[in-house]
Amino acid sequence: MNSVANNPSVKLLINGQFLESQSQQWRSVINPATQKVLARVPFATPAEMQAAVASAQAAFPAWSKTAIGTRARIFLKYQQLIRENMSELAALLTAEQGKTLADAEGDIFRGLEVVEHAASIGNLQMGEMANNVAAGVDTYTLNQPLGVCAGITPFNFPAMIPLWMFPMAIACGNTFILKPSEQDPMVTMRLCELAMQAGIPAGVLNVVHGGEEIVNAICDHPVIKAVSFVGSTKVGTHVYQRATLAGKRAQCMMGAKNHAVVLADANKQQTLNNLAGAAFGAAGQRCMALPVVILVGEAQAWVGDLVEKAKTLSVNAGAEADTDIGPLISCTAKLRVEQLIDSGLQQGATLLLDGRDVRVAGYPEGNFVGPTIFSNVRTEMRIYQEEIFGPVLCILHAANLAEAIAIINANAHGNGTAIFTQSGAAARTFQEQVDVGQIGINVPIPVPVPLFSFTGSRASKLGDLGPYGKQVIQFYTQTKTITSRWFDDELAAGKVNTTISL
Ligand code: NAD
């Protein structure tokens, strides 16, 4: 952790002000293609955390009573500002995160879709009513905001994932504290600036920076009612346990090891393109990447074609035109991925394509690893057991679909999966039997649009309700159920009723 005082500092957002932290502890935000230090980010102090919570708490009474139309129009304005600033946001995202400019725009766009959805909050937050549940009695529900909510986000989607969280929470009438990834907080902060420009009132959105300490402070703070987390299984499990122990709602979207299943009747070229894109795109740093492929039956003969397809991908800085694979987020991440590749060799897998020692002209310092493919992978190997989060594809074989499904269901994670086939019957069997949150049928990265919610199963998710979409409205609101009777003269003249009936 360096203290790089000469670099521009990433600000806190407290009570509508972008503030310089008083912290003594800072770390550098580094361009992963060049190692250039772009900024320094603080580890916010306990007093700053307290100020953020106090500001969110003070803003809640007025914001929670703000008219639906007023709340919705802020998000209409916000989506426009994001669109107008798309290129600048993408360039910032690529500089600090490494992914290609096109992929950075995709990252922002998938978040923008949630902002658009937040603009329909009037429809989404409506309660239900049943007329005449008993004579003269109606029952209806109110979905009311909770109070101060918080979000903790990972490095790999620094635009999309913060936008999964604060727009929906705030549109529901909550106030919010965001804790972005300390590895790439700059684009997140730019999105927060635009949100304030769109008209979010002071105190409704606050941002604190840091790592373990600030995350623990969020989990423990008695004023915070709900915590949304996206990140690794290890940290997410800790956050879930700590936040729920403190009486909060928590939803934690966590790590993954997603499998593709390829049947021999699949459209071959389309499938190979999809597999290469989903295994190696964003340098494999997507929770919905496909780092494992199970070739079923005669599809086992496609290994050579898959390797040839992977060789066509260009490894370069994300800001360069025609780049397919950018650098990994940090030197530590590169070292870890290379060590896992070493472990695959030591444990007897066959290395068909080796991305270690890739050289990128003009970027000798970049954290690059090229596409890497192992065959003869066994499920007890580390390269299969661990989430590599790099451009490394493990190929397994199965005699039939049932065997492939059994492999997937025996894996600890259940985030995403995809089947490639032209058989509707096989696809249907797959969707029925596989215990995974997101399922693609000839769709490699089936991240649901915001009409639905992101889901997840087993070690990939803790909590009942997913982020964004319909489920998050339930997460960010408290339902009250009201049963009412208004007496008119005729109904008023009754006897004492000691039964449970209305
Ligand atoms: P991470 O778990 O290291 O960090 C996530 C957040 O937790 C960050 O804000 C970080 O500051 C904080 N944090 C880190 N260590 C902590 C600790 N010891 N105690 C408390 N807080 C801590 O995750 P990452 O490396 O930033 O992101 C990659 C991971 O996120 C992968 O496992 C990936 O699969 C997962 N992910 C999951 C989804 C999903 O929707 N399921 C989406 C994106 C990423």
Side-chain angles (χ1 to χ4, degrees):
M1 194 173 306
N2 333 343
S3 175
V4 199
N6 295 335
N7 291 296
S9 40
V10 179
K11 302 290 187 277
L12 307 168
L13 171 57
I14 298 174
N15 200 22
Q17 304 291 315
F18 288 91
L19 301 172
E20 179 83 4
S21 171
Q22 299 306 305
S23 180
Q24 299 300 310
Q25 212 190 340
W26 297 74
R27 66 166 279 161
S28 301
V29 181
I30 295 170
N31 181 323
T34 62
Q35 307 307 329
K36 181 173 182 282
V37 177
L38 303 172
R40 58 176 200 151
V41 60
F43 286 68
T45 66
E48 288 163 345
M49 169 69 190
Q50 188 51 40
V53 176
S55 135
Q57 191 178 18
F60 179 69
W63 179 245
S64 61
K65 297 200 170 31
T66 299
I68 294 170
T70 307
R71 283 182 272 140
R73 277 188 290 275
I74 289 174
F75 292 98
L76 285 174
K77 176 73 182 164
Y78 189 30
Q79 65 80 29
Q80 181 198 347
L81 289 174
I82 294 174
R83 282 177 199 280
E84 286 171 3
N85 290 276
M86 181 63 93
S87 308
E88 178 216 324
L89 288 163
L92 192 55
L93 198 161
T94 293
E96 63 177 343
Q97 204 277 347
K99 64 178 70 172
T100 66
L101 284 170
D103 203 29
E105 288 208 6
D107 186 334
I108 298 158
F109 183 78
R110 294 310 302 262
L112 173 67
E113 291 182 310
V114 180
V115 176
E116 291 168 345
H117 202 230
S120 356
I121 191 63
N123 291 327
L124 296 171
Q125 205 177 344
M126 269 169 44
E128 297 175 310
M129 176 168 185
N131 186 211
N132 286 322
V133 294
V137 177
D138 303 324
T139 297
Y140 55 96
T141 56
L142 306 179
N143 297 320
Q144 296 190 318
L146 300 176
V148 181
C149 300
I152 300 157
T153 57
F155 80 82
N156 65 332
F157 283 98
M160 177 182 81
I161 293 177
L163 292 175
W164 279 4
M165 295 181 182
F166 72 79
M168 295 307 282
I170 288 174
C172 286
N174 298 290
T175 57
F176 205 79
I177 296 176
L178 179 67
K179 206 302 282 176
S181 171
E182 68 279 30
Q183 299 195 74
D184 49 12
M186 294 168 71
V187 71
T188 315
M189 289 315 289
R190 185 74 189 110
L191 284 163
C192 291
E193 284 172 15
L194 294 176
M196 299 310 283
Q197 201 179 320
I200 292 184
V204 171
L205 173 62
N206 303 272
V207 185
V208 290
H209 298 287
E212 183 173 354
E213 268 179 51
I214 203 93
V215 167
N216 286 341
I218 288 172
C219 293
D220 295 345
H221 202 295
V223 167
I224 297 174
K225 300 286 185 245
V227 177
S228 186
F229 169 91
V230 180
S232 61
T233 298
K234 181 168 169 268
V235 178
T237 304
H238 164 77
V239 165
Y240 187 82
Q241 289 172 347
R242 192 153 175 155
T244 55
L245 193 66
K248 299 180 198 333
R249 292 185 183 188
Q251 56 171 203
C252 298
M253 305 297 130
M254 306 186 292
K257 193 78 178 179
N258 306 319
H259 297 60
V261 172
V262 179
L263 305 190
D265 67 358
N267 178 315
K268 187 171 175 185
Q269 277 316 313
Q270 198 67 38
T271 303
L272 294 176
N273 284 338
N274 283 178
L275 291 175
F280 306 120
Q285 299 172 114
R286 292 182 182 131
C287 70
M288 289 290 283
L290 288 175
V292 182
V293 56
I294 307 176
L295 299 173
V296 178
E298 290 169 15
Q300 296 179 30
W302 297 7
V303 171
D305 299 297
L306 188 51
V307 173
E308 291 310 310
K309 185 66 74 179
K311 284 182 185 167
T312 66
L313 298 174
S314 91
V315 181
N316 205 339
E320 298 289 346
D322 300 324
T323 300
D324 295 307
I325 303 177
L328 292 166
I329 185 69
S330 64
C331 300
T332 314
K334 174 175 153 79
L335 188 65
R336 186 179 159 273
V337 169
E338 288 172 344
Q339 284 171 349
L340 276 160
I341 296 172
D342 292 343
S343 82
L345 278 169
Q346 282 156 17
Q347 291 188 297
T350 308
L351 188 54
L352 299 175
L353 186 62
D354 187 355
R356 294 171 300 178
D357 299 325
V358 67
R359 299 268 175 266
V360 176
Y363 296 93
E365 304 290 318
N367 309 322
F368 297 102
V369 175
T372 298
I373 301 183
F374 279 108
S375 67
N376 296 319
V377 175
R378 294 189 313 277
T379 55
E380 70 274 13
M381 294 177 176
R382 278 187 65 203
I383 51 170
Y384 178 80
Q385 291 280 333
E386 292 184 30
E387 181 180 30
I388 300 177
F389 231 50
V392 181
L393 179 64
C394 295
I395 301 179
L396 276 70
H397 300 287
N400 52 43
L401 180 59
E403 214 176 287
I405 291 171
I407 293 171
I408 295 173
N409 287 346
N411 189 276
H413 292 97
N415 205 44
T417 186
I419 186 168
F420 295 90
T421 179
Q422 304 218 37
S423 161
R428 193 166 190 286
T429 300
F430 186 71
Q431 78 185 24
E432 290 291 307
Q433 295 185 5
V434 84
D435 182 5
V436 173
Q438 269 84 218
I439 299 169
I441 297 174
N442 299 312
V443 173
I445 305 186
V447 175
V449 294
L451 302 175
F452 300 87
S453 299
F454 198 87
T455 52
S457 184
R458 297 179 280 146
S460 297
K461 183 182 176 210
L462 283 169
D464 305 320
L465 300 166
Y468 71 84
K470 292 176 192 163
Q471 293 186 11
V472 95
I473 303 292
Q474 280 177 276
F475 182 74
Y476 285 130
T477 60
Q478 175 67 48
T479 302
K480 286 183 182 167
T481 308
I482 293 115
T483 300
S484 77
R485 169 184 284 138
W486 293 99
F487 294 105
D488 58 23
D489 289 346
E490 263 176 54
L491 277 174
K495 312 192 293 176
V496 173
N497 182 359
T498 56
T499 71
I500 196 175
S501 64
L502 295 170

